[in-house]
Amino acid sequence: MITNNKVKNNLPYRRKRREGRTMADVAFDAQKIAFAPISFQAALALRNLGILQLLNTTPADDKTIAKKLKLSLYAVQTLLENGIALEIVSLENGKYALTKTGWFLLCDPMTRANMDFVQDVCYLGMHSLQDSLTHGKPTGLKVFGKWKTVYEGLSKLPAKNRKSWFTFDHFYSDIAFPEILPIIFEPAPKRVMDIGANTGKWAKKCLDYNKAVTLMLVDLPGQLNMAKKNLKKYGKRAEFYPTNVLDGKAQFPKGADAVLMSQFLDCFDEKQIISILKKVKIAAHQNTRIYILEPLWDRQEYKAATFCLNHTSLYFTNIANGNSKMYSYTQLEHCVKKAGLKVEKVFDQIGRFSYTLLCCKK
Amino acid sequence: MITNNKVKNNLPYRRKRREGRTMADVAFDAQKIAFAPISFQAALALRNLGILQLLNTTPADDKTIAKKLKLSLYAVQTLLENGIALEIVSLENGKYALTKTGWFLLCDPMTRANMDFVQDVCYLGMHSLQDSLTHGKPTGLKVFGKWKTVYEGLSKLPAKNRKSWFTFDHFYSDIAFPEILPIIFEPAPKRVMDIGANTGKWAKKCLDYNKAVTLMLVDLPGQLNMAKKNLKKYGKRAEFYPTNVLDGKAQFPKGADAVLMSQFLDCFDEKQIISILKKVKIAAHQNTRIYILEPLWDRQEYKAATFCLNHTSLYFTNIANGNSKMYSYTQLEHCVKKAGLKVEKVFDQIGRFSYTLLCCKK
């Protein structure tokens, strides 16, 4: 399979020289991609059937594992042979042991959330990824129902799938909030506008952090009704501006010293982002600081994080809405400029999953 | 995400010491598995939408690619960002180029066959792999119809899916035939029994290779009717013995000097293999050479080949029949011994995909 000379000799010279990998390595990497869905299902079954958990205590042979977990020897052997190929387990003297990767799949809560999200939300729909890309529609969503976006259907997802969606979502939101509060309040803003305020989580943190500040919450009416309930105790310090940000005639209220869009712009395509930022510009005064908080894939310290973000993009393509993604700094800065704003300061490496906070001005 | 100290400190000492990988590497490997189905779909879309082909001629920027292939800039960017994460493409000075891996996905016919097979035969069914393993049934087959095995349903699969099945099958059969003919005919057998003769492909090669030999074809009646037509011109040199090898009362004909089972035993579970081999023993005389030809996952020169075989096992689990697999030398030798036979000689590294030929005797 690998020593295919015809294939080898056709490789363009440029690529032959530039990458220091052997043809066997390349062939292996290609097979890892070719069989990737089966790898995923094998790893998930190793985890969900309790095999990884059992091996986390002590190495064991296949017969012991089968007996303890009431599985057929065939099931255990076939899965563990895949586990070796995937370097999730190792085999020594007839006993299987967990590798570091296997242990990470078992114990790291974010990896667990990612796997459940991929299996329960993305897997079946992703079969039609190519259609999503050519039609600009989240074609994978049809697995669950006839909705235009996943947000419309969230409350109607089967309980297991909904749980996996929310657990995943939990890991990629809120985690940067504590670190950005001092940055945003350092210039002592009197009025802070939260665009995409949702149910008021972030607004609440601001209202608690600074007892003098007034929050201006902007979102769809449905979301703001929830926010109103959640922020009742703050009285007049919380103001509500029901707005459909995609409505061409919609305007944002004026008077904010700081504007925050936290993980908000990744729900829109480039044109929509520019149109939203133009409206922010109109509402801003000369000294208004406009903050954008996003995990940007070209600003990650770890390759694994970039990898997760790029793959999450295709969830937006296939399941969420068909046209948004996780952005790079380059692409987001391009939108900021197109809207007539300028980036004044960039705060990197915020939170466990490196977020970037852009501070922009008119 | 990766600098999770709680997680780090819980790692058992033994594993911490034994593997020389950093926590960041481990986290990355885990994410590669967690998002694997999305990786696969991205790679497939990059190939099928013509992006890899376009980049095979010359590097190009995203706008040029979108224009030439009539795709949205969003689709091209989102896919190519995944392509970078997967090291299928590289980005330099705003232009995307194919990496060796990307080029292999595009040009290697076996990788292409593997990917089409996974997408068109395995992908959707694999969602239920865990059920297959716990029930011992090919639960993934329900995607196509209500059959007990894939073999029953093959002729009824939609054209595209059937084509991908046969193209995959083609790569993993027949390729070792030319090399084993001299080995089997070296001791000048007069009568050769082909168990699992199917439509007579291998028998035909023998009949052409040695003009004096008589072939004894054993298989289900349906298969042998096809074989009879294909081998008509050989007259009495081809004998037909319709047999269900799983029938407890069935017997194999006596008088063969050589018996061949080529990629036949991987369609059965361990107990069935032992029962088949016991019947072979009864039919064999003292000098009968019993040949078993299989690609064995623990006898592969390349890791990629082992990887492919272990993953093909789960196709047997989930789609084909629910209880068979690609075997290791160790497991197959165990069956041979259990049947009261002994391995006399082992021929390794046969064919492009390393096959092993076991020569056994009573």
Side-chain angles (χ1 to χ4, degrees), chain B residues 54-68:
Chain B
L54 193 151
L55 296 179
N56 195 35
T57 338
T58 177
D61 63 32
D62 48 12
K63 287 198 182 71
T64 308
I65 298 168
K67 206 179 157 190
K68 280 197 180 165

Side-chain angles (χ1 to χ4, degrees), chain B residues 62-340:
Chain B
D62 48 12
K63 287 198 182 71
T64 308
I65 298 168
K67 206 179 157 190
K68 280 197 180 165
L69 297 175
K70 290 176 184 148
L71 291 166
S72 71
L73 191 58
Y74 166 75
V76 170
Q77 283 174 345
T78 315
L79 268 184
L80 284 170
E81 285 162 11
N82 244 270
I84 296 173
L86 295 168
E87 300 185 7
I88 294 172
V89 297
S90 61
L91 177 61
E92 218 172 292
N93 303 321
K95 287 193 173 182
Y96 291 90
L98 220 53
T99 63
K100 281 183 182 174
T101 303
W103 174 83
F104 208 84
L105 291 177
L106 177 68
C107 296
D108 176 55
M110 190 184 278
T111 305
R112 187 173 279 269
N114 289 347
M115 286 187 87
D116 289 341
F117 175 72
V118 170
Q119 172 75 344
D120 297 331
V121 179
C122 305
Y123 188 91
L124 291 173
M126 275 289 158
H127 192 251
S128 72
L129 176 64
Q130 192 178 321
D131 292 341
S132 301
L133 290 159
T134 48
H135 296 109
K137 293 206 169 106
T139 57
L141 198 49
K142 68 174 180 289
V143 168
F144 299 111
K146 287 185 178 177
W147 306 300
K148 280 188 182 169
T149 70
V150 78
Y151 310 106
E152 285 178 36
L154 263 187
S155 60
K156 291 150 214 153
L157 292 186
K160 191 188 174 199
N161 309 71
R162 195 170 62 236
K163 186 170 177 279
S164 295
W165 192 94
F166 277 103
T167 309
F168 178 79
D169 190 58
H170 162 82
F171 272 102
Y172 297 89
S173 63
D174 309 359
I175 60 181
F177 284 175
E179 288 187 51
I180 64 166
L181 281 168
I183 299 172
I184 290 171
F185 281 95
E186 198 267 329
K190 285 182 183 144
R191 298 176 65 79
V192 172
M193 176 152 62
D194 181 6
I195 302 180
N198 211 335
T199 56
K201 263 183 166 182
W202 157 250
K204 192 181 178 322
K205 291 220 190 286
C206 290
L207 290 162
D208 287 337
Y209 188 80
N210 184 305
K211 305 292 176 193
V213 76
T214 296
L215 261 285
M216 305 158 72
L217 289 87
V218 176
D219 212 322
L220 292 166
Q223 265 78 350
L224 286 194
N225 283 336
M226 302 275 284
K228 263 182 204 170
K229 282 180 197 161
N230 295 336
L231 302 179
K232 209 174 175 180
K233 70 165 182 175
Y234 299 96
K236 286 187 173 174
R237 289 179 59 209
E239 300 173 357
F240 302 91
Y241 301 90
T243 316
N244 177 357
V245 298
L246 294 180
D247 177 353
K249 292 171 203 157
Q251 296 280 338
F252 293 134
K254 300 202 174 193
D257 305 307
V259 175
L260 181 74
M261 287 160 278
S262 168
Q263 273 188 280
F264 174 66
L265 295 180
D266 58 39
C267 297
F268 303 98
D269 68 23
E270 223 182 88
K271 271 190 193 161
Q272 294 168 334
I273 293 176
I274 294 166
S275 128
I276 292 168
L277 291 178
K278 277 185 179 165
K279 286 178 193 162
V280 173
K281 190 187 171 190
I282 293 168
H285 60 68
Q286 218 51 40
N287 290 317
T288 303
R289 287 176 170 84
I290 300 156
Y291 295 98
I292 300 169
L293 183 69
E294 287 290 338
L296 301 170
W297 66 258
D298 59 350
R299 291 272 179 157
Q300 297 300 314
E301 186 180 355
Y302 295 101
K303 267 175 114 174
T306 302
F307 188 92
C308 289
L309 292 173
N310 289 148
H311 280 72
T312 303
S313 283
L314 292 175
Y315 146 76
F316 283 107
T317 309
N318 181 248
I319 305 280
N321 55 36
N323 63 6
S324 87
K325 68 197 278 281
M326 305 312 287
Y327 289 97
S328 63
Y329 177 82
T330 317
Q331 195 167 6
L332 207 54
E333 193 198 28
H334 168 77
C335 294
V336 168
K337 284 183 180 167
K338 277 268 179 185

Side-chain angles (χ1 to χ4, degrees), chain A residues 74 82 123 310-311 324 352, chain B residues 1 39 74 82 123 310 324:
Chain A
Y74 166 76
N82 244 270
Y123 187 90
N310 289 148
H311 281 71
S324 85
R352 200 163 56 131
Chain B
M1 175 188 62
S39 302
Y74 166 75
N82 244 270
Y123 188 91
N310 289 148
S324 87

Side-chain angles (χ1 to χ4, degrees), chain A residues 80-92:
Chain A
L80 284 171
E81 284 163 12
N82 244 270
I84 295 173
L86 295 169
E87 300 184 5
I88 293 172
V89 297
S90 61
L91 176 62
E92 218 172 294

